[in-house]
Amino acid sequence: MATTCNFSSKKLKVSTSLTLNNHGSSSSSSLAKKQRTTTTMIEGEATKEVDLSRFRRYSEEDIREEKRLGVTTKLSLRSEDPWKIKKKLTASDVGDLSRLMLHTDQVEKHILPHLVDVDAIKDGNEVRVKVLDTDKHSEHQLVFARWKSSKGYVLKQNWTKDFVKRRNLKLGDEVGLFLDASRRPDNSMLIHFKVLNRAPVLAPP
């Protein structure tokens, strides 16, 4: 079976087969070795065989461990969006409360599973987090907490000074965040931040 994929302007045609390789007639290698190969043709110009046995095979344990750490070493041709938490800024996000209200379902799916003491957060305890502005390559310190009135989750304290004013954030701008699940030397949380889209500027009447 052949699969055709588009890469830039060239077509990559890949076929997979199972072949038997006979390595001599000595008694120690009398049985033929099975070897998986792929034949690759780019615009009919070249043919190359690749030994797939050298590629890493993932066990169920490998997959569970990488899922727990929030990372993957698998090579994928798909471009995955890293910004798991997205928010179109509301008036309260850019107002005087100095807090960014996050969508509860996104936090529960992409942040809480990586925290050690989730119950403490849900009970109202606050956690200091480092937020990396990937646009400006600067690091800032905020507080991650559960908002008592709405039971939602927020990033607060220095939010207005370090992000709203510094980045000139406006109503309707869309920002993205994701938690870096790797363990830092000081065991602190690191959240990546990016301005994804700016709100359209309305022309004066």
Side-chain angles (χ1 to χ4, degrees):
M1 182 178 67
T3 304
T4 302
C5 306
N6 290 327
F7 293 88
S8 299
S9 61
K10 293 185 176 183
K11 289 185 176 180
L12 177 64
K13 186 176 182 181
V14 180
S15 62
T16 304
S17 61
L18 182 66
T19 62
L20 298 178
N21 293 335
N22 197 336
H23 298 275
S25 58
S26 62
S27 58
S28 61
S29 58
S30 58
L31 294 178
K33 294 182 179 180
K34 293 182 179 180
Q35 179 184 25
R36 286 186 176 182
T37 64
T38 66
T39 302
T40 304
M41 295 185 297
I42 301 178
E43 294 184 347
E45 297 175 358
T47 300
K48 182 180 180 182
E49 289 193 346
V50 180
D51 182 3
L52 293 183
S53 65
R54 296 189 305 170
F55 285 73
R56 177 177 176 180
R57 291 180 174 83
Y58 280 78
S59 66
E60 290 296 327
E61 184 178 354
D62 291 332
I63 295 173
R64 285 194 299 269
E65 179 66 10
E66 290 192 350
K67 185 176 181 181
R68 183 184 69 81
L69 296 174
V71 300
T72 181
T73 56
K74 284 186 176 181
L75 178 63
S76 174
L77 298 179
R78 295 181 300 172
S79 178
E80 185 176 353
D81 185 2
W83 306 103
K84 303 300 184 182
I85 298 175
K86 297 179 181 180
K87 178 69 184 293
K88 185 171 288 189
L89 301 180
T90 64
S92 63
D93 292 327
V94 296
D96 298 328
L97 296 176
S98 193
R99 61 106 178 100
L100 171 66
M101 181 67 73
L102 305 174
H103 295 301
T104 302
D105 57 337
Q106 294 179 350
V107 171
E108 291 179 344
K109 182 176 181 180
H110 299 294
I111 292 184
L112 296 189
H114 301 287
L115 302 184
V116 175
D117 198 348
V118 177
D119 291 335
I121 297 294
K122 291 183 177 181
D123 289 340
N125 289 358
E126 301 178 343
V127 177
R128 292 194 176 275
V129 299
K130 293 179 180 179
V131 181
L132 177 64
D133 184 340
T134 59
D135 296 317
K136 301 297 183 179
H137 307 289
S138 58
E139 194 172 278
H140 308 267
Q141 188 158 299
L142 300 180
V143 169
F144 174 72
R146 194 178 192 189
W147 202 248
K148 293 181 180 179
S149 59
S150 66
K151 303 301 182 183
Y153 297 90
V154 299
L155 287 172
K156 63 177 188 174
Q157 282 195 359
N158 295 326
W159 166 251
T160 295
K161 176 176 69 72
D162 288 357
F163 288 91
V164 177
K165 292 182 177 180
R166 183 181 61 86
R167 295 301 310 275
N168 194 29
L169 299 178
K170 303 293 185 183
L171 174 68
D173 289 348
E174 184 183 27
V175 301
L177 305 102
F178 72 85
L179 174 68
D180 186 343
S182 60
R183 186 176 297 278
R184 292 165 62 85
D186 58 357
N187 289 325
S188 63
M189 287 174 57
L190 177 65
I191 294 177
H192 294 249
F193 169 92
K194 183 179 180 63
V195 177
L196 300 177
N197 296 293
R198 291 288 186 176
V201 178
L202 300 178

